[in-house]
Structures are given as C-alpha cells and as structure tokens.
Amino acid sequence: MEEGIEKERPARILIVDDEETLCEALRFNIEEEGFEVDVAYSAEEALTLDLSAYSLFLLDVMMGEISGTQLAKIIKNREDTGNIPIIFCTARDTEDEMVNGLDLGADDYITKPYSIRNVLARIRAVLRRTVPAENADSQQSLEYNGLKVFPESKQCMVDGNEVRLPKKEFEILSLMLANKGKIFSREELLTRIWPEQVVVVDRVVDVNITRLRSKIGNYGRNIVTRSGYGYGFKI
C-alpha cells in the first residue's frame, strides 16, 4: 500500500449465539465475503466487548440468562450503539416472536434452518443503508417538503436531520413517496416489501407502519390508513 493512502476498513460484525459449531460456520462464510467477524457464545460475553466498534449484530434469541431480545434492548438503549443495525437469526419463528423482534428495532429476522446465502444477502442489504450522510446531496431523492429519501444510499432525512430506518420501513416509505396518493393494500405491501418471505402475516405490515410514523416526525400524519383498504402517503 502506498504511503499516505489508507484502505477502507471492512464492516465489522458480531455474531452472538450459544451454538459454537453454527457460530464458526457463520464466521467462516461471512469472512469469506470480506467482512471482519467476531463471535460471542453468550450475551454476557458480548457485553464484555466494545459493542460500539461493530457495524452490525447477528443475534440468536434463545441463549442463557440474558436472551438475544434482552441483549437487543440493551444495545438499542445505549447511546453509543443505538443506531447499529441488528439481525435476529433464530429457531423461534412464531408471529409473536417476529413482531416482538421488530418492535425492539431489529432490521431483519431470519428463521432457522436457513441458507448461508440467505444470511449473507440479508447482511449486505442491511449494511447498504449505512453510507455516510455527506454523500446525500449528490443523489436523486424521493421527497415531500422536508422529508427526503435517498434510494441509493438508503438514507432518510427529516427536516435536515438523518433518521435511520430499518430496511423494511425504508422500503415502505420509499414506495409510498414514489406513489403519493396511492393506497396500497396489506397484500400489495407484503408482495412488494417481503417478496423473499414464504409466510409473513398482515400484522407485520401494521407494526412497521406504526414504527415508521413515529420516526418521521410530523410527516407521520401523511401516512394514512383507509379502513378496509390499506395505507398510503397523503399530499
């Protein structure tokens, strides 16, 4: 490397799972994609690390005394880690577990058994939204007054302030801003936003809409509900 030229450091991922064989398989395959990977075999071990140094957390739900959901709450409540994305990777695939994970602020929820290829695709998709905000001015945007979405860098700006949105919330908002005034049924949103999922319940759409409204300030009122029809962005 030439002197004075610093190579960009790859994203650093922390896997937290009490299945050691699974952890090592994930570590090997994720490192093969060029990421830096650390492993913790419990939430307690993870909490001894500098969590602010990571770009993404891949968490199991069912672990020891501190569960993956409890660890996620700790991460989201800390000022230095609250904006770091989380992907749950778990055998617990009930509707309530999935909704609970989304409510905690998880960016994605992968159920076991899964393919390594699927996990890698989800990781890349979540990390794509972490492009620095200073690149936003040169990009095309979808916008309404002070609400702007930049599809290329996966960013959302509300009255000049960046608001970090998980992948599904970002995609819902982008779709609505690109089709202002159109009402989308829950079935349409499920087909467009969750095409890779075999089974996703209507309630997941409602949860994501509620969370999205709360994050975009006064513009949350523009996301309207048409009873018996669905959701849309009113202008």
Side-chain angles (χ1 to χ4, degrees):
M1 185 184 302
E2 297 181 17
E3 186 176 354
I5 300 178
E6 183 177 354
K7 186 178 180 180
E8 184 179 355
R9 186 171 181 175
R12 190 176 178 192
I13 296 170
L14 178 63
I15 302 169
V16 187
D17 196 311
D18 57 4
E19 295 184 46
E20 294 190 21
T21 302
L22 177 60
C23 279
E24 292 308 317
L26 284 172
R27 187 213 294 262
F28 173 80
N29 284 279
I30 295 172
E31 285 180 339
E32 285 289 296
E33 290 292 302
F35 299 111
E36 292 185 357
V37 182
D38 291 326
V39 169
Y41 299 117
S42 68
E44 291 86 346
E45 181 182 351
L47 290 171
T48 67
L49 305 175
D50 178 11
L51 297 181
S52 65
Y54 293 96
S55 306
L56 181 144
F57 300 109
L58 191 63
L59 308 181
D60 185 24
V61 171
M62 300 175 66
M63 292 189 285
E65 291 187 15
I66 301 177
S67 68
T69 52
Q70 289 173 312
L71 178 58
K73 288 180 183 178
I74 294 170
I75 290 170
K76 288 301 180 184
N77 286 332
R78 280 175 43 171
E79 185 175 350
D80 61 339
T81 59
N83 287 328
I84 300 176
I86 293 173
I87 297 177
F88 280 121
C89 197
T90 177
R92 304 185 73 168
D93 60 354
T94 66
E95 175 188 345
D96 286 344
E97 290 293 340
M98 186 177 297
V99 171
N100 185 41
L102 293 171
D103 278 340
L104 288 172
D107 294 74
D108 212 338
Y109 195 104
I110 309 172
T111 57
K112 301 175 183 178
Y114 49 75
S115 69
I116 294 295
R117 184 180 178 186
N118 184 24
V119 174
L120 291 172
R122 304 292 187 90
I123 288 172
R124 287 192 295 266
V126 169
L127 288 175
R128 274 198 296 268
R129 72 177 182 83
T130 61
V131 176
E134 54 265 25
N135 294 334
D137 290 340
S138 62
Q139 301 175 44
Q140 292 185 338
S141 63
L142 300 168
E143 56 188 77
Y144 174 77
N145 295 338
L147 175 63
K148 298 182 180 181
V149 164
F150 298 91
E152 183 179 342
S153 63
K154 312 303 180 189
Q155 292 172 275
C156 174
M157 306 293 289
V158 177
D159 295 331
N161 298 310
E162 184 177 9
V163 175
R164 291 190 175 274
L165 298 178
K167 179 187 177 196
K168 300 306 183 185
E169 293 175 31
F170 182 88
E171 291 178 352
I172 291 171
L173 181 58
S174 298
L175 179 63
M176 289 185 173
L177 283 176
N179 298 273
K180 300 181 190 73
K182 174 178 171 60
I183 299 298
F184 292 92
S185 69
R186 287 179 176 84
E187 291 74 19
E188 284 181 284
L189 290 172
L190 287 172
T191 300
R192 287 172 177 252
I193 306 300
W194 285 269
E196 75 281 2
Q197 301 285 356
V198 177
V199 178
V200 179
V201 294
D202 289 356
R203 189 178 168 198
V204 172
V205 174
D206 301 335
V207 168
N208 278 270
I209 292 288
T210 299
R211 286 171 49 189
L212 177 58
R213 280 174 173 154
S214 70
K215 293 176 182 177
I216 59 175
N218 291 330
Y219 301 106
R221 293 178 293 188
N222 292 88
I223 299 179
V224 296
T225 304
R226 292 286 182 259
S227 181
Y229 294 95
Y231 298 101
F233 193 93
K234 180 184 70 174
I235 57 177

